[in-house]
Amino acid sequence: MQYINLLYILSTVLLIIGLRRLSSPATAAKGNIIAACGMGLAILVAMFDPIENDQGNYALIIITLAIGSVLGLVFSKKVAMTAIPELVSLFNGFGGACAVAISIIEVYNFDAATSIGARATTYMALFIGGVAFTGSLIAYGKLSGKVNDWRSGISSYFNLIWLALCLGLIGYEVVAMGQIEYLPLIILAVSLIYGFTFVLPIGGADMPVVISLLNAFTGIAAALAGIVYDNMVMLLGGILVGSSGTILTVLMCQAMNRSLINVIVGGFGGSTASAAG
Amino acid sequence: MLEILDYLKDNVLTINLWIITIYLGFEVISKVPTVLHTPLMSGSNAISGIVIIGAIILVRQSASDDYLSLAIGGLGIILGTINVVGGHAVTNRMLEMFKKK
């Protein structure tokens, strides 16, 4: 049992091969299955991996895994083919929410011995996961027609200021460490709001690009959480999704003959800019 | 500032891995054809559900009377599993549609 975490290496390799095959038409279906095997193996290893301060709680883990699997299968079987992109966005939001859930608990588990670097890493996982979560929900809402496009001339300035507020609060909390009890919850709230305001001004037709970008964010949040737990498969899998998701986002923008900045900053003369580009 | 440099110094291996894996991610999908953009996005979205490992570790490390940690960790596992299982299942459906063509 003590050597079981060596199997993490195998699951990392499976994830890389799976992603590679997914990017070529002839092998894509097999690639998806290989990646799924890698994920399954990683989850299995995570359950039996020898860790410090192990309390078990296997009943809860198995029940929640079962509930999540059933819900995931039901969602993916029931969805209409045309509604798949919005479902992917919803799934991505759930992944971001998972990153938020674990990092908010870890933030409250900090003690005096926690280094600045570890605190900063956890807060960045919280922030990026939070943006991926609420941003994906808005993208889902826009694709399914529940959220209308809303745009105002000040929205990109507002977003810059709000981003500075998020990072400033995180910087203050990382340095001041836990002097204000509710500050982590305030950081959580401003991060979640940033996810909303980040995606809200972007046009509904650009949502696939945004989903790909938010998917990369979830990957980065997973990688940061991997540093927190000192877990290599989370770290490598997360960065892999983070970097390949970023490149995929850029490729999708190129396919539309636009730049990523142009998509994110939104409709400010979007059509003229794309004509010029 | 020194504390941050110390943290980076103690994690040189992680930083190296980080850089190499970024390039690996770029290379692995750099030749993807346009028709595969959406399935690849969906497949890599399922892989980003790897964050569920963190939720499992969190629940395993929570004391059995720490109900807040257990509840939020359990919720994290449910959400993460939906992302992983649903993501791979929906990618599979999409790719089956490609085969028929």
Side-chain angles (χ1 to χ4, degrees):
Chain A
M1 240 19 175
Q2 53 180 320
Y3 296 112
I4 193 167
N5 51 12
L6 288 176
L7 287 172
Y8 275 139
I9 301 171
L10 178 61
S11 73
T12 308
V13 172
L14 289 175
L15 291 182
I16 296 171
I17 296 175
L19 199 59
R20 178 78 192 87
R21 300 217 164 165
L22 263 171
S23 65
S24 153
T27 54
K30 266 190 188 155
N32 183 44
I33 289 166
I34 292 173
C37 291
M39 292 295 300
L41 181 64
I43 290 171
L44 208 63
V45 177
M47 288 179 66
F48 300 105
D49 174 20
I51 50 173
E52 286 173 34
N53 187 25
D54 187 6
Q55 307 283 334
N57 296 320
Y58 285 113
L60 177 65
I61 295 175
I62 291 168
I63 291 170
T64 47
L65 277 173
I67 295 174
S69 306
V70 170
L71 287 177
L73 284 175
V74 168
F75 277 140
S76 60
K77 295 293 172 218
K78 277 196 167 173
V79 65
M81 277 296 176
T82 49
I84 281 180
E86 62 210 55
L87 186 69
V88 171
S89 180
L90 193 63
F91 285 160
N92 185 50
F94 289 167
C98 180
V100 170
I102 60 180
S103 33
I104 193 74
I105 293 290
E106 288 303 326
V107 159
Y108 277 102
N109 285 342
F110 286 164
D111 54 34
T114 314
S115 70
I116 279 198
R119 291 202 296 270
T121 310
T122 316
Y123 272 106
M124 285 317 286
L126 178 71
F127 171 61
I128 297 173
V131 173
F133 171 39
T134 49
S136 298
L137 290 187
I138 290 290
Y140 164 76
K142 284 199 178 199
L143 282 177
S144 57
K146 293 183 180 106
V147 177
N148 291 326
D149 284 356
W150 175 90
R151 188 176 295 142
S152 130
I154 60 157
S155 54
S156 63
Y157 301 104
F158 175 82
N159 276 347
L160 275 179
I161 294 167
W162 199 261
L163 176 64
L165 176 72
C166 294
L167 296 179
L169 282 176
I170 290 173
Y172 172 78
E173 171 65 16
V174 165
V175 175
M177 63 181 294
Q179 302 208 335
I180 307 169
E181 201 191 340
Y182 292 107
L183 194 53
L185 290 178
I186 294 171
I187 291 174
L188 173 64
V190 292
S191 306
L192 294 177
I193 292 171
Y194 182 68
F196 276 117
T197 60
F198 173 65
V199 177
L200 205 54
I202 304 176
D206 291 333
M207 279 306 122
V209 176
V210 173
I211 296 169
S212 177
L213 184 68
L214 294 171
N215 174 36
F217 282 5
T218 311
I220 296 168
L224 291 167
I227 295 181
V228 175
Y229 289 105
D230 198 15
N231 183 299
M232 277 301 152
V233 73
M234 280 174 84
L235 179 73
L236 296 174
I239 307 168
L240 201 61
V241 173
S243 70
S244 65
T246 309
I247 285 296
L248 182 61
T249 310
V250 172
L251 292 176
M252 286 166 98
C253 290
Q254 281 171 358
M256 298 194 307
N257 208 6
R258 294 177 62 185
S259 75
L260 181 57
I261 300 290
N262 178 258
V263 170
I264 289 175
V265 178
F268 294 175
S271 53
T272 48
S274 64
Chain B
M1 196 63 209
L2 202 60
E3 225 176 316
I4 295 172
L5 285 178
D6 275 343
Y7 182 76
L8 295 178
K9 183 196 74 185
D10 294 339
N11 288 285
V12 170
L13 184 65
T14 310
I15 296 166
N16 272 313
L17 270 176
W18 192 285
I19 294 167
I20 294 167
T21 314
I22 287 176
Y23 276 93
L24 181 67
F26 286 177
E27 289 303 319
V28 157
I29 67 143
S30 59
K31 292 186 188 93
V32 61
T34 313
V35 301
L36 277 182
H37 280 175
T38 310
L40 180 62
M41 176 178 86
S42 171
S44 76
N45 165 54
I47 296 176
S48 73
I50 193 82
V51 68
I52 190 187
I53 307 283
I56 293 175
I57 296 175
L58 175 70
V59 170
R60 281 183 65 194
Q61 288 182 333
S62 302
S64 39
D65 58 350
D66 185 356
Y67 297 117
L68 183 67
S69 277
L70 288 177
I72 295 185
L75 183 67
I77 296 182
I78 293 179
L79 293 171
T81 322
I82 295 177
N83 187 3
V84 172
V85 176
H88 282 299
V90 91
T91 311
N92 201 37
R93 264 189 76 184
M94 244 186 285
L95 291 169
E96 271 173 5
M97 189 170 61
F98 275 80
K99 266 187 212 161
K100 279 167 199 158
K101 283 178 185 173

